[in-house]
Amino acid sequence: MAEEMGVFETIHSMRAMRRLKSDPVPTEMIRKILDAGIRAPSGQNLQAWAFVVLQDPDNKKFFQERYHQAMLDRFGNALKVDPSDKSSWARTVRAAMHLAEHMHEAPVLLLVCGKRDWPFSVPAEKREGKAPPSYGSIYPCVQNILLACRALGLGASLTTMHQMFEDELQERLGIPFEYGVVATIPIGFPSGKFGPVTRRPVSQVTHFDQWGQHEPPA
Ligand SMILES: Cc1cc2nc3c(=O)[nH]c(=O)nc-3n(C[C@H](O)[C@H](O)[C@H](O)COP(=O)(O)O)c2cc1C
């Protein structure tokens, strides 16, 4: 059973799944995923997360239209890739655009919200306007959610393009000012296959005692 996958296998095969079937995802599965999310650590254990499970077709369509436009506005010509281009960048762009065009067809768009709070580094006298959500306290929850989706055989991908229309989104869904939307995760049964993910190797990005020393001292 997918649920019995080992943690490392789950991590290694959890890639961004941007091509999803429109088949419904049972509410019990959504609850299970969110129950994994809320097990995450958070600063002072404040658990400053809240979730909006978007399933309403009109709201999903609203989201998709704004998201698609935001992609075009933000990335413009960079999105033009030759259909025969097999590079990893071209594949990512094609998948990202597929998602932008079909996002509303995903059965669930999960909005992960975070309570706004100034980082410790911003002194009281400089705290003007809206504080950002505590990203550091919300992303472990987001990662748990993505891993739980993978373990249950559901496709999901982390997206943040809603930042381009966040005020409108919050107003439409009645998300209070004290919260910000940190990530939007389309979730559904995948059309494609899971993993493996390609990353730069540990040896390249790890430094032992001194920056630039990629091997531990003998
Ligand atoms: C902070 C953050 C923001 C991201 N925003 C988006 C996004 O708006 N749209 C999208 O399609 N993918 C987004 N991604 C997904 C990344 O593009 C993806 O994780 C990366 O390309 C690796 O893909 P892979 O896991 O399939 O190898 C985001 C990822 C992170 C961590």
Side-chain angles (χ1 to χ4, degrees), residues 15-16 18 67 139 158-161 197 199:
R15 65 178 188 81
R18 299 188 178 94
Y67 182 98
Y139 270 114
L158 200 174
T159 79
T160 48
M161 200 48 78
V197 294
R199 303 288 188 258

Side-chain angles (χ1 to χ4, degrees), residues 54-66 104 109 172-173:
L54 212 57
Q55 293 176 304
D56 171 71
D58 289 344
N59 281 335
K60 286 195 298 176
K61 188 65 188 150
F62 159 83
F63 191 98
Q64 179 270 330
E65 284 172 1
R66 294 295 187 282
H104 56 298
L109 296 183
R172 185 176 173 115
L173 301 180

Side-chain angles (χ1 to χ4, degrees), residues 122-148:
V122 180
E125 66 274 16
K126 294 210 169 140
R127 296 181 176 192
E128 281 168 22
K130 262 198 242 176
S134 325
Y135 292 108
S137 278
I138 302 302
Y139 270 114
C141 168
V142 168
Q143 181 73 355
N144 273 8
I145 287 170
L146 294 172
L147 289 170

Side-chain angles (χ1 to χ4, degrees), residues 77-90:
N77 283 338
L79 297 172
K80 290 188 183 134
V81 291
D82 194 294
S84 63
D85 189 342
K86 298 270 186 286
S87 68
S88 134
W89 168 249

Side-chain angles (χ1 to χ4, degrees), residues 27 30-31 34 51-56 107-111:
T27 304
I30 298 296
R31 286 194 210 282
L34 298 180
F51 311 106
V52 179
V53 181
L54 212 57
Q55 293 176 304
D56 171 71
V108 175
L109 296 183
L110 176 65
L111 273 55

